Amino acid sequence: MSEHLSHQRVGSPDLAALMTAVVRKVAAAHPQADADRLWRAFRLAEQAHSGQARQSGEPFLVHGLTVADILADLRLDSDTVMAGLLHDVVEDTTVGLDRIMADFGPDVSALVDGVTKISGIRTDNPDARKAENYRKLVLSIARDPRVVLIKLADRLHNMRTIQYLERSRQLEMAQETMDVYAPLAHRFGIARIKWELEDRSFKVLHPERYFAIESGINQSRAERERHLEEVRGPLEEALRKAGIEALVTGRPKHFFSIHRKMLAQKVGLDRIYDLLALRILVQTKADCYHALGIIHSLFTPLHDRIKDYIAMPKPNMYQSLHTTVRAPGGKYLEIQIRTQDMHERSEIGIAAHWRYKEGTRDATDFSQLVMWLRQIMEWQQDVTDPREFMESLRIDLFQDEVFVFSPKGDLFQLPRGATVLDFAFHVHSEVGLRCVRAKVNGRIVSLHHALENGDKVEIVTGQQTRATRSWLGQVRTGRAKHHLRRWLRTTQFQESLKLGRDILEREAKRKRVTLRLDADLDGLAQQMGYSEGEKLLAAVGAGDLPWQRVIARLEPPAPTPTGRVVDLGKDLYAALLRKRVGGVRIQGVDNLMVRYARCCQPIPGDEVVGVITRGRGVSVHRVACPNLGAIEEDRKLEVTWDAAPDQVFHVKLIVTANDRKNLLADLSRVIAETGTNIQSGDFAAEDDLATMTFLIEVLSLSALEKVLAAVRRVPSVQRVERFQLR
Ligand code: MN
């Protein structure tokens, strides 16, 4: 049901007059358009929505007509305009898609269907519903980009009439517009709709800031116009002398973009450059560059603010030259130079492809956009968490870009916020997976270093894969996440498989039951509901299938007189297999699969227990760790310490003391005197109470106990504890 649907009706604007205006606009842009069809669509919509009203009290059809009008302003073809007129018919009335199909053909009906489907998803989880809606939205755009244009026009009219909704709903709709629809409009190059959506949402979300900017702009208007005239006069004169036919105008102000710049640059309204802004429209591309030269001969440019989006169009096809110059009086002024054609494309973006002839579509230019959308959908396919889906979609779809270079000078374009690791995956998935380190402009940086425009990025790769799960937190693009996830899934399966095999072999031996994995595995798997043996092993290794259940199905071996001899041989073999595994001995389990729990930081000497984690091997906890309480017994494994004598373990200590002079120095000294290395420390004091943390390196529990005793003896220390995450 449409948000704005209501059944009270007041007043009655002349719907036919509104439609006449729409038909005229379509006819002006597309002389071959069939006006009769348009009128038939109008009559069907009128009949379908008859008796329905908007929350504003207006007849419901005003909405469809306004949407059609916005689409006609974008000079879209009559099919799109008709679909705009009829877009709520299927969802909100008894007229079905079959009727639209019969009356107006497959194109119009496919467009209406596309728009209807996007909003027609019902689930109990609002987050999941939203994510599913956006997923459908992107899918339908990939099929026919005109669907998004109708959806944007729909949202635009709903934002124009948002005051009739309840405040809570206003906030929700404005936020969604800011998060999804304005960025979509941006991505498709429809600046006109983007600005209006942003400003209207901004006004709802932050009314005080909106009005502060509005009044600030009004107050400085006279002064600003004087500054503009001081530039405009000489500029027009110089352009005329050079024989360039140009239209020089001021530029409309967009409150939200001013607000965003104030936040980003942490400056007041008076320091925002594009408050003073001119736009120059010229005839040809050559004129653009010529005009730029003339501007720079008259006024000093700010060098880092000259941008050539003609040679390097934005991904949404925006083209223009930008420069910022010092105007008389020391004020800065931003100037955009473009041709009429570029201007139109910057205003209506992808809609420009339907502007020429009815029926013929210029499919070449946006095919790239569509391909890119399909790619994004593929990357997003395996994301199940709706919040994560939205986050990656937002980053891939909606953000600005950074341009960076490879050492050879190849240009790469990534979303703003992308890291060097994203870059590596962008070059090739193997480069990403085997990335060892990265240099930006010759300097070594961390893998999560965010890229800036113009950076030269060099990736050093190793022979083998270096990727780990933690990398998921260091990349931002869908592409990198997709490749990482796919890789993790495969390796996790392999690791779980190996761990499952190790665990079963070890436990079978301990329980003295016969396990012949090579011979019995598939049969065993089928008995337990797994299609094949490897899946059963992986389930055990991932902790999804308790190993105890598998062992329980196995028979104890029949006692034979020679059994002892055989067992001895087997045990000997097992003893040879027994490995030293990074300090913890888990018979038969490869050390790569063992890690130490960060929550309790076990060290040799602590009583410990192993926990089979889902797809991430065995994690070793202290027996005293409170987090063990939440873990099913089935997942636990016995483990014993077997650390090399020189293996160092990290432990964090938390010391509470009454603050006094030299406290930190005394503590550091006594810790050092026990022969213990302090890796890092942290100090915080509130009133008289000081809290200090030390990350120290120790070999064992006995070494740690010496440190604890020494710290306790330091005057004013009240308490010292090992770190324990709960
Ligand atoms: Mn609607």
Side-chain angles (χ1 to χ4, degrees), residues 2-4 54 60 63-64 67 84 87-89 91-92 115 119 150-151 153-155 157-158:
S2 290
E3 207 68 54
H4 287 267
R54 299 264 293 175
F60 194 85
H63 175 59
V67 169
H87 79 272
D88 275 328
V89 160
E91 201 187 346
D92 288 339
V115 177
S119 49
I150 299 170
K151 203 66 199 159
D154 176 41
R155 179 51 60 113
H157 185 236
N158 286 339

PDB file of all heavy atoms in Angstrom, residues 2-4 54 60 63-64 67 84 87-89 91-92 115 119 150-151 153-155 157-158, ligand 1:
ATOM      1  N   SER A   2       0.526   2.222  -0.771  1.00  0.00           N
ATOM      2  CA  SER A   2       1.313   3.444  -0.765  1.00  0.00           C
ATOM      3  C   SER A   2       1.165   4.158   0.553  1.00  0.00           C
ATOM      4  O   SER A   2       0.085   4.216   1.129  1.00  0.00           O
ATOM      5  CB  SER A   2       0.855   4.365  -1.881  1.00  0.00           C
ATOM      6  OG  SER A   2       1.233   3.804  -3.103  1.00  0.00           O
ATOM      7  N   GLU A   3       2.295   4.661   0.983  1.00  0.00           N
ATOM      8  CA  GLU A   3       2.390   5.434   2.209  1.00  0.00           C
ATOM      9  C   GLU A   3       1.346   6.545   2.299  1.00  0.00           C
ATOM     10  O   GLU A   3       0.741   6.776   3.310  1.00  0.00           O
ATOM     11  CB  GLU A   3       3.769   6.098   2.161  1.00  0.00           C
ATOM     12  CG  GLU A   3       4.339   6.383   3.467  1.00  0.00           C
ATOM     13  CD  GLU A   3       4.678   5.089   4.155  1.00  0.00           C
ATOM     14  OE1 GLU A   3       5.401   4.248   3.598  1.00  0.00           O
ATOM     15  OE2 GLU A   3       4.174   4.963   5.268  1.00  0.00           O
ATOM     16  N   HIS A   4       1.201   7.226   1.186  1.00  0.00           N
ATOM     17  CA  HIS A   4       0.400   8.445   1.211  1.00  0.00           C
ATOM     18  C   HIS A   4      -1.089   8.192   0.983  1.00  0.00           C
ATOM     19  O   HIS A   4      -1.861   9.125   0.921  1.00  0.00           O
ATOM     20  CB  HIS A   4       0.909   9.411   0.136  1.00  0.00           C
ATOM     21  CG  HIS A   4       2.231  10.049   0.482  1.00  0.00           C
ATOM     22  ND1 HIS A   4       2.317  11.257   1.124  1.00  0.00           N
ATOM     23  CD2 HIS A   4       3.498   9.648   0.282  1.00  0.00           C
ATOM     24  CE1 HIS A   4       3.587  11.576   1.286  1.00  0.00           C
ATOM     25  NE2 HIS A   4       4.321  10.619   0.786  1.00  0.00           N
ATOM     26  N   ARG A  54      -4.671  11.108  -1.428  1.00  0.00           N
ATOM     27  CA  ARG A  54      -3.390  11.127  -0.737  1.00  0.00           C
ATOM     28  C   ARG A  54      -3.600  11.661   0.674  1.00  0.00           C
ATOM     29  O   ARG A  54      -4.633  12.253   0.973  1.00  0.00           O
ATOM     30  CB  ARG A  54      -2.409  12.053  -1.479  1.00  0.00           C
ATOM     31  CG  ARG A  54      -2.137  11.614  -2.900  1.00  0.00           C
ATOM     32  CD  ARG A  54      -0.904  10.795  -3.019  1.00  0.00           C
ATOM     33  NE  ARG A  54       0.311  11.549  -2.734  1.00  0.00           N
ATOM     34  CZ  ARG A  54       1.520  10.992  -2.693  1.00  0.00           C
ATOM     35  NH1 ARG A  54       1.654   9.702  -2.875  1.00  0.00           N
ATOM     36  NH2 ARG A  54       2.583  11.725  -2.451  1.00  0.00           N
ATOM     37  N   PHE A  60      -5.705  10.795  -5.470  1.00  0.00           N
ATOM     38  CA  PHE A  60      -4.493   9.996  -5.546  1.00  0.00           C
ATOM     39  C   PHE A  60      -3.779  10.143  -6.877  1.00  0.00           C
ATOM     40  O   PHE A  60      -2.552  10.116  -6.966  1.00  0.00           O
ATOM     41  CB  PHE A  60      -4.800   8.516  -5.289  1.00  0.00           C
ATOM     42  CG  PHE A  60      -3.566   7.731  -5.024  1.00  0.00           C
ATOM     43  CD1 PHE A  60      -3.037   7.665  -3.743  1.00  0.00           C
ATOM     44  CD2 PHE A  60      -2.876   7.114  -6.063  1.00  0.00           C
ATOM     45  CE1 PHE A  60      -1.858   6.980  -3.502  1.00  0.00           C
ATOM     46  CE2 PHE A  60      -1.692   6.428  -5.818  1.00  0.00           C
ATOM     47  CZ  PHE A  60      -1.187   6.364  -4.540  1.00  0.00           C
ATOM     48  N   HIS A  63      -0.563  12.084  -7.690  1.00  0.00           N
ATOM     49  CA  HIS A  63       0.756  11.484  -7.519  1.00  0.00           C
ATOM     50  C   HIS A  63       1.271  10.896  -8.834  1.00  0.00           C
ATOM     51  O   HIS A  63       2.358  11.236  -9.290  1.00  0.00           O
ATOM     52  CB  HIS A  63       0.677  10.402  -6.426  1.00  0.00           C
ATOM     53  CG  HIS A  63       1.937   9.625  -6.242  1.00  0.00           C
ATOM     54  ND1 HIS A  63       3.142  10.220  -5.900  1.00  0.00           N
ATOM     55  CD2 HIS A  63       2.191   8.293  -6.360  1.00  0.00           C
ATOM     56  CE1 HIS A  63       4.074   9.281  -5.808  1.00  0.00           C
ATOM     57  NE2 HIS A  63       3.528   8.107  -6.087  1.00  0.00           N
ATOM     58  N   GLY A  64       0.458  10.035  -9.445  1.00  0.00           N
ATOM     59  CA  GLY A  64       0.868   9.438 -10.713  1.00  0.00           C
ATOM     60  C   GLY A  64       1.152  10.497 -11.767  1.00  0.00           C
ATOM     61  O   GLY A  64       2.129  10.399 -12.524  1.00  0.00           O
ATOM     62  N   VAL A  67       4.486  12.205 -10.995  1.00  0.00           N
ATOM     63  CA  VAL A  67       5.590  11.310 -11.357  1.00  0.00           C
ATOM     64  C   VAL A  67       5.774  11.321 -12.879  1.00  0.00           C
ATOM     65  O   VAL A  67       6.893  11.449 -13.388  1.00  0.00           O
ATOM     66  CB  VAL A  67       5.318   9.882 -10.826  1.00  0.00           C
ATOM     67  CG1 VAL A  67       6.308   8.884 -11.406  1.00  0.00           C
ATOM     68  CG2 VAL A  67       5.392   9.862  -9.300  1.00  0.00           C
ATOM     69  N   GLY A  84       5.025   5.593 -15.373  1.00  0.00           N
ATOM     70  CA  GLY A  84       5.021   6.485 -14.212  1.00  0.00           C
ATOM     71  C   GLY A  84       3.598   6.802 -13.777  1.00  0.00           C
ATOM     72  O   GLY A  84       3.262   6.780 -12.592  1.00  0.00           O
ATOM     73  N   HIS A  87       2.167   3.633 -12.133  1.00  0.00           N
ATOM     74  CA  HIS A  87       3.088   2.824 -11.320  1.00  0.00           C
ATOM     75  C   HIS A  87       2.465   2.286 -10.038  1.00  0.00           C
ATOM     76  O   HIS A  87       2.915   1.279  -9.512  1.00  0.00           O
ATOM     77  CB  HIS A  87       4.378   3.591 -11.019  1.00  0.00           C
ATOM     78  CG  HIS A  87       4.243   4.595  -9.914  1.00  0.00           C
ATOM     79  ND1 HIS A  87       3.844   5.886 -10.130  1.00  0.00           N
ATOM     80  CD2 HIS A  87       4.442   4.477  -8.588  1.00  0.00           C
ATOM     81  CE1 HIS A  87       3.809   6.531  -8.978  1.00  0.00           C
ATOM     82  NE2 HIS A  87       4.162   5.705  -8.020  1.00  0.00           N
ATOM     83  N   ASP A  88       1.431   2.948  -9.491  1.00  0.00           N
ATOM     84  CA  ASP A  88       0.832   2.448  -8.255  1.00  0.00           C
ATOM     85  C   ASP A  88      -0.440   1.646  -8.497  1.00  0.00           C
ATOM     86  O   ASP A  88      -1.075   1.181  -7.560  1.00  0.00           O
ATOM     87  CB  ASP A  88       0.508   3.623  -7.312  1.00  0.00           C
ATOM     88  CG  ASP A  88       1.718   4.018  -6.479  1.00  0.00           C
ATOM     89  OD1 ASP A  88       2.526   3.118  -6.161  1.00  0.00           O
ATOM     90  OD2 ASP A  88       1.860   5.215  -6.154  1.00  0.00           O
ATOM     91  N   VAL A  89      -0.819   1.515  -9.759  1.00  0.00           N
ATOM     92  CA  VAL A  89      -2.097   0.885 -10.083  1.00  0.00           C
ATOM     93  C   VAL A  89      -2.138  -0.577  -9.637  1.00  0.00           C
ATOM     94  O   VAL A  89      -3.065  -1.016  -8.974  1.00  0.00           O
ATOM     95  CB  VAL A  89      -2.383   1.030 -11.598  1.00  0.00           C
ATOM     96  CG1 VAL A  89      -3.393   0.001 -12.048  1.00  0.00           C
ATOM     97  CG2 VAL A  89      -2.896   2.432 -11.899  1.00  0.00           C
ATOM     98  N   GLU A  91      -0.290  -2.160  -7.440  1.00  0.00           N
ATOM     99  CA  GLU A  91      -0.147  -2.375  -6.012  1.00  0.00           C
ATOM    100  C   GLU A  91      -1.378  -1.912  -5.237  1.00  0.00           C
ATOM    101  O   GLU A  91      -1.764  -2.540  -4.259  1.00  0.00           O
ATOM    102  CB  GLU A  91       1.103  -1.639  -5.509  1.00  0.00           C
ATOM    103  CG  GLU A  91       1.588  -2.212  -4.194  1.00  0.00           C
ATOM    104  CD  GLU A  91       2.723  -1.401  -3.596  1.00  0.00           C
ATOM    105  OE1 GLU A  91       3.296  -0.560  -4.325  1.00  0.00           O
ATOM    106  OE2 GLU A  91       3.013  -1.599  -2.418  1.00  0.00           O
ATOM    107  N   ASP A  92      -1.972  -0.819  -5.648  1.00  0.00           N
ATOM    108  CA  ASP A  92      -2.982  -0.183  -4.811  1.00  0.00           C
ATOM    109  C   ASP A  92      -4.408  -0.271  -5.329  1.00  0.00           C
ATOM    110  O   ASP A  92      -5.318   0.255  -4.704  1.00  0.00           O
ATOM    111  CB  ASP A  92      -2.629   1.310  -4.613  1.00  0.00           C
ATOM    112  CG  ASP A  92      -1.439   1.472  -3.687  1.00  0.00           C
ATOM    113  OD1 ASP A  92      -1.175   0.521  -2.920  1.00  0.00           O
ATOM    114  OD2 ASP A  92      -0.786   2.517  -3.736  1.00  0.00           O
ATOM    115  N   VAL A 115       8.671  -1.712 -11.034  1.00  0.00           N
ATOM    116  CA  VAL A 115       8.482  -0.762  -9.935  1.00  0.00           C
ATOM    117  C   VAL A 115       7.663  -1.409  -8.810  1.00  0.00           C
ATOM    118  O   VAL A 115       7.974  -1.252  -7.630  1.00  0.00           O
ATOM    119  CB  VAL A 115       7.774   0.517 -10.436  1.00  0.00           C
ATOM    120  CG1 VAL A 115       7.517   1.478  -9.289  1.00  0.00           C
ATOM    121  CG2 VAL A 115       8.611   1.193 -11.508  1.00  0.00           C
ATOM    122  N   SER A 119       8.720  -2.753  -4.312  1.00  0.00           N
ATOM    123  CA  SER A 119       8.121  -2.418  -3.019  1.00  0.00           C
ATOM    124  C   SER A 119       7.248  -3.542  -2.487  1.00  0.00           C
ATOM    125  O   SER A 119       6.674  -3.439  -1.425  1.00  0.00           O
ATOM    126  CB  SER A 119       7.297  -1.137  -3.157  1.00  0.00           C
ATOM    127  OG  SER A 119       6.463  -1.252  -4.278  1.00  0.00           O
ATOM    128  N   ILE A 150      11.767   5.863 -12.766  1.00  0.00           N
ATOM    129  CA  ILE A 150      10.386   5.947 -12.262  1.00  0.00           C
ATOM    130  C   ILE A 150      10.400   5.948 -10.736  1.00  0.00           C
ATOM    131  O   ILE A 150       9.724   6.738 -10.078  1.00  0.00           O
ATOM    132  CB  ILE A 150       9.541   4.768 -12.786  1.00  0.00           C
ATOM    133  CG1 ILE A 150       9.480   4.814 -14.322  1.00  0.00           C
ATOM    134  CG2 ILE A 150       8.129   4.815 -12.197  1.00  0.00           C
ATOM    135  CD1 ILE A 150       8.883   3.562 -14.952  1.00  0.00           C
ATOM    136  N   LYS A 151      11.216   5.071 -10.178  1.00  0.00           N
ATOM    137  CA  LYS A 151      11.308   4.974  -8.719  1.00  0.00           C
ATOM    138  C   LYS A 151      11.809   6.302  -8.119  1.00  0.00           C
ATOM    139  O   LYS A 151      11.338   6.733  -7.069  1.00  0.00           O
ATOM    140  CB  LYS A 151      12.271   3.822  -8.404  1.00  0.00           C
ATOM    141  CG  LYS A 151      12.120   3.204  -7.060  1.00  0.00           C
ATOM    142  CD  LYS A 151      10.814   2.489  -6.845  1.00  0.00           C
ATOM    143  CE  LYS A 151      10.597   2.332  -5.349  1.00  0.00           C
ATOM    144  NZ  LYS A 151       9.212   2.106  -4.963  1.00  0.00           N
ATOM    145  N   ALA A 153      11.485   9.321  -9.498  1.00  0.00           N
ATOM    146  CA  ALA A 153      10.432  10.326  -9.642  1.00  0.00           C
ATOM    147  C   ALA A 153       9.361  10.105  -8.569  1.00  0.00           C
ATOM    148  O   ALA A 153       8.847  11.060  -7.973  1.00  0.00           O
ATOM    149  CB  ALA A 153       9.822  10.240 -11.042  1.00  0.00           C
ATOM    150  N   ASP A 154       9.047   8.853  -8.309  1.00  0.00           N
ATOM    151  CA  ASP A 154       8.079   8.491  -7.274  1.00  0.00           C
ATOM    152  C   ASP A 154       8.549   9.017  -5.922  1.00  0.00           C
ATOM    153  O   ASP A 154       7.825   9.695  -5.197  1.00  0.00           O
ATOM    154  CB  ASP A 154       7.965   6.952  -7.261  1.00  0.00           C
ATOM    155  CG  ASP A 154       7.068   6.412  -6.160  1.00  0.00           C
ATOM    156  OD1 ASP A 154       6.011   7.017  -5.917  1.00  0.00           O
ATOM    157  OD2 ASP A 154       7.428   5.367  -5.571  1.00  0.00           O
ATOM    158  N   ARG A 155       9.807   8.733  -5.593  1.00  0.00           N
ATOM    159  CA  ARG A 155      10.348   9.177  -4.312  1.00  0.00           C
ATOM    160  C   ARG A 155      10.394  10.711  -4.232  1.00  0.00           C
ATOM    161  O   ARG A 155      10.124  11.298  -3.194  1.00  0.00           O
ATOM    162  CB  ARG A 155      11.738   8.570  -4.120  1.00  0.00           C
ATOM    163  CG  ARG A 155      12.447   8.967  -2.842  1.00  0.00           C
ATOM    164  CD  ARG A 155      11.608   8.764  -1.603  1.00  0.00           C
ATOM    165  NE  ARG A 155      11.166   7.403  -1.361  1.00  0.00           N
ATOM    166  CZ  ARG A 155      11.585   6.670  -0.331  1.00  0.00           C
ATOM    167  NH1 ARG A 155      12.436   7.166   0.529  1.00  0.00           N
ATOM    168  NH2 ARG A 155      11.123   5.462  -0.162  1.00  0.00           N
ATOM    169  N   HIS A 157       8.378  12.921  -5.607  1.00  0.00           N
ATOM    170  CA  HIS A 157       7.070  13.483  -5.265  1.00  0.00           C
ATOM    171  C   HIS A 157       6.693  13.160  -3.822  1.00  0.00           C
ATOM    172  O   HIS A 157       6.132  13.995  -3.118  1.00  0.00           O
ATOM    173  CB  HIS A 157       5.975  13.001  -6.223  1.00  0.00           C
ATOM    174  CG  HIS A 157       4.645  13.662  -5.949  1.00  0.00           C
ATOM    175  ND1 HIS A 157       3.499  12.952  -5.690  1.00  0.00           N
ATOM    176  CD2 HIS A 157       4.302  14.977  -5.844  1.00  0.00           C
ATOM    177  CE1 HIS A 157       2.497  13.799  -5.449  1.00  0.00           C
ATOM    178  NE2 HIS A 157       2.962  15.031  -5.542  1.00  0.00           N
ATOM    179  N   ASN A 158       7.034  11.956  -3.361  1.00  0.00           N
ATOM    180  CA  ASN A 158       6.737  11.620  -1.963  1.00  0.00           C
ATOM    181  C   ASN A 158       7.517  12.514  -1.003  1.00  0.00           C
ATOM    182  O   ASN A 158       7.021  12.874   0.062  1.00  0.00           O
ATOM    183  CB  ASN A 158       7.023  10.144  -1.690  1.00  0.00           C
ATOM    184  CG  ASN A 158       5.963   9.239  -2.307  1.00  0.00           C
ATOM    185  OD1 ASN A 158       4.842   9.692  -2.588  1.00  0.00           O
ATOM    186  ND2 ASN A 158       6.306   7.987  -2.543  1.00  0.00           N
TER     187      ASN A 158
HETATM  188 MN    MN B   1       4.136   5.955  -5.840  1.00  0.00          MN
END
